[in-house]
Amino acid sequence: MGVKKFAVLASGGGTDFQSLIDAVKKGQIKAEICCLIAGKPDIYAIERAEKAGIPVKVVCKKDFTDNESFDIAVRDALVEAEADFAVLAGYLSIIGPETIKVFPNKIINIHPALIPSFCGMGYYGHHVHNAVLESGVKLSGATIHFVDETADTGPIIMQETVPVLVDDTVESLAIRVLKKEHEMLPKAVALMAEGRLQVEGKKVRITE
């Protein structure tokens, strides 16, 4: 068995993507980033990939007439990159059934809240943190999970909390959660690369 390869899918600035680039470089993740699949052509994540010498493929949803053809294009991009698994790092499109069929329990997503709260359709970016603040909860955090056929419902790999402070704004809470994401995501990807994530129904066991 050679070194595993994984693709990263991003739709924005790519700070989570950068945390993975850095962790691979430091040897914390024993795998190679084989490709960035960018959801838009003008995002900063592309610049990060180019600086790191990582191939880029732009697969923009608005270039496709329907969800099925977009799904097939994402699947084909992953297959062409010879990815063993994929990581969604601030990726805003829904992964479709054709891609999931080829990569079952091999696509990891990070969500900026504690699933099953504040998740599902419409809950992304600052919409999540705004809902958290409006609810009055005292804890938020980040969740890393496998992707299945429905938004944010796949088996949970890892969760960590951050406090929600009385005077928090969307921006201040987002910064605290993002810092936690940057710590968590490389750890989860390292476990995936080492084959230490075992899915048992809705549960994920981390093996020795």
Side-chain angles (χ1 to χ4, degrees):
M1 278 280 292
V3 174
K4 285 201 173 164
K5 300 200 282 189
F6 68 99
V8 177
L9 291 81
S11 298
T15 62
D16 279 324
F17 176 38
Q18 188 66 52
S19 75
L20 297 175
I21 293 170
D22 295 344
V24 168
K25 205 178 287 181
K26 291 174 188 167
Q28 293 164 349
I29 296 173
K30 293 172 177 63
E32 174 194 330
I33 303 175
C34 58
C35 180
L36 168 70
I37 297 175
K40 296 173 190 169
D42 53 355
I43 55 174
Y44 190 67
I46 292 173
E47 205 167 304
R48 294 181 191 275
E50 287 169 349
K51 280 181 188 167
I54 296 165
V56 177
K57 172 96 176 175
V58 177
V59 185
C60 189
K61 190 172 185 180
K62 67 178 177 57
D63 294 340
F64 296 87
T65 53
D66 54 47
N67 288 340
E68 187 182 0
S69 55
F70 172 63
D71 176 20
I72 289 166
V74 171
R75 178 201 68 190
D76 290 351
L78 290 171
V79 171
E80 282 164 22
E82 299 181 342
D84 294 300
F85 63 97
V87 181
L88 311 185
Y91 187 65
L92 298 181
S93 296
I94 298 294
I95 297 294
E98 291 302 319
T99 303
I100 290 166
K101 204 185 295 176
V102 176
F103 293 91
N105 292 327
K106 289 183 179 175
I107 304 173
I108 290 173
N109 183 44
I110 187 153
H111 182 75
L114 298 173
I115 292 174
S117 298
F118 311 108
C119 66
M121 295 300 288
Y123 282 97
Y124 61 90
H126 282 187
H127 298 288
V128 176
H129 305 304
N130 190 52
V132 166
L133 292 177
E134 286 186 350
S135 75
V137 297
K138 301 298 184 189
L139 287 175
S140 189
T143 303
I144 299 175
H145 65 97
F146 284 112
V147 173
D148 64 6
E149 290 79 6
T150 319
D152 300 329
T153 60
I156 291 171
I157 298 165
M158 191 181 286
Q159 287 183 307
E160 290 195 20
T161 62
V162 301
V164 179
L165 307 178
V166 173
D167 56 354
D168 258 333
T169 61
V170 166
E171 290 75 19
S172 64
L173 179 58
I175 287 165
R176 205 176 306 119
V177 172
L178 193 59
K179 184 168 183 281
K180 191 63 75 177
E181 289 182 31
H182 295 166
E183 294 167 9
M184 293 168 67
L185 191 57
K187 289 179 189 172
V189 174
L191 291 168
M192 184 71 180
E194 291 163 20
R196 292 177 56 199
L197 298 178
Q198 187 179 326
V199 181
E200 300 169 355
K202 289 294 283 182
K203 295 181 179 176
V204 178
R205 186 185 299 278
I206 298 173
T207 60
E208 290 303 319

